[in-house]
Amino acid sequence: MNQRIRVAHLVQHLATGGLERMAASLAWIGETQGVESILVGYLGATDYRTTLTEHGVQTALLQTAPGLAPGLPLRLARWLI
C-alpha cells in the first residue's frame, strides 16, 4: 500500500516572515517528493496567504485571539483528524 504522507506546518501568521517562508519552502519541496503539506496559521493572515495559494500551497487559518490560547491544541487536533 502506497499512502501519501501528509504534513501540517503550524505557524503564527500566514504572513511574509522567516518562519512562514521556511514552512512554504518545505511545502513546495515536499510536493516534489510526494508529501502533501498545508500551512496552518492561528493568529491571522496577510495577502501572502493569497500568494501561497496561487503557488499551490494549501493554507488554513484557525483564527485565535492574541494571548494565551489553552484551547488551541485541542482545536488543532480536532481539525487535523
Side-chain angles (χ1 to χ4, degrees), residues 17-41:
L19 175 67
E20 293 78 8
R21 287 178 183 261
M22 181 187 70
S25 294
L26 289 171
W28 287 318
I29 292 168
E31 284 294 327
T32 68
Q33 303 299 314
V35 176
E36 182 182 343
S37 296
I38 186 167
L39 266 63
V40 182

Side-chain angles (χ1 to χ4, degrees), residues 1 8 10-11 13-14 17 19 21 30 36 43 53-56 63 65-66 68 70 72 76:
M1 177 169 49
L10 182 64
V11 296
H13 304 274
L14 293 170
L19 175 67
R21 287 178 183 261
E36 182 182 343
L43 285 180
T53 303
E54 289 172 353
H55 286 91
Q63 191 65 51
L68 189 60
L72 180 60
L76 181 62

